[in-house]
Amino acid sequence: MHLADPITQPQFYRDVAGKRFMAWIIDTIIIALFSLLIVPFTAFLALFVFMGLYAVVSFMYRTITLATGSATWGMRLMAIELRDASGARFDLGQAFLHTLGYTVSWAVAPLQLVSIVLMATSNRGQGLTDIVMGSAALNRRARA
């Protein structure tokens, strides 16, 4: 197995960059809601460190959802999924590494800008973490 070729199988990559953006918006809303749901259980003290709480919830959400379906809930709604260099779904280790790369990219703003440009311009729509890992987001195959 391997990743689909963007030249001979462009249908796997069609509109993926836009779908990733929409999925990111959906995931951001879900993560914010989860974070807000946690706040009352901390006697509202988490409001003082809300961005830290958000970062932890985001890391956990992304790692768990990528490990269990190779896509976050937002990606699933947009019918895309991440695949590794061999075309297989992510396992827990790959989900953790992809989430770590995503988090580092957000922590170092120029890296995230490079990642966004790469997603918008590369033939596979890969971000910086995807290029390093050899992974790519693909349109999900229809279930038979």
Side-chain angles (χ1 to χ4, degrees):
M1 285 179 48
H2 61 283
L3 281 175
D5 183 88
I7 304 300
T8 61
Q9 298 172 306
Q11 66 274 18
F12 285 104
Y13 300 100
R14 193 167 290 123
D15 302 322
V16 167
K19 288 180 176 184
R20 283 183 92 162
F21 179 66
M22 291 304 297
W24 178 80
I25 290 171
I26 293 165
D27 291 330
T28 299
I29 292 168
I30 291 169
I31 293 163
L33 291 173
F34 279 150
S35 299
L36 288 171
L37 286 172
I38 292 170
V39 169
F41 294 101
T42 67
F44 296 93
L45 294 173
L47 289 173
F48 294 107
V49 290
F50 188 76
M51 291 312 295
L53 172 65
Y54 180 91
V56 170
V57 170
S58 175
F59 198 95
M60 291 173 55
Y61 166 82
R62 291 177 189 285
T63 301
I64 291 167
T65 56
L66 289 176
T68 58
S70 212
T72 63
W73 291 348
M75 290 176 180
R76 293 173 199 187
L77 284 172
M78 298 308 301
I80 58 175
E81 62 188 3
L82 290 168
R83 295 293 182 120
D84 69 13
S86 69
R89 290 178 172 216
F90 277 16
D91 61 21
L92 179 59
Q94 291 166 317
F96 176 83
L97 290 175
H98 198 276
T99 302
L100 182 63
Y102 169 83
T103 304
V104 169
S105 290
W106 272 105
V108 182
L111 293 179
Q112 187 61 21
L113 291 174
V114 168
S115 191
I116 291 167
V117 169
L118 287 170
M119 276 187 254
T121 60
S122 66
N123 59 357
R124 284 195 163 118
Q126 294 170 296
L128 194 56
T129 301
D130 295 317
I131 290 171
V132 170
M133 290 184 62
S135 60
L138 305 170
N139 285 311
R140 191 171 54 220
R141 292 182 178 103
R143 306 259 187 246

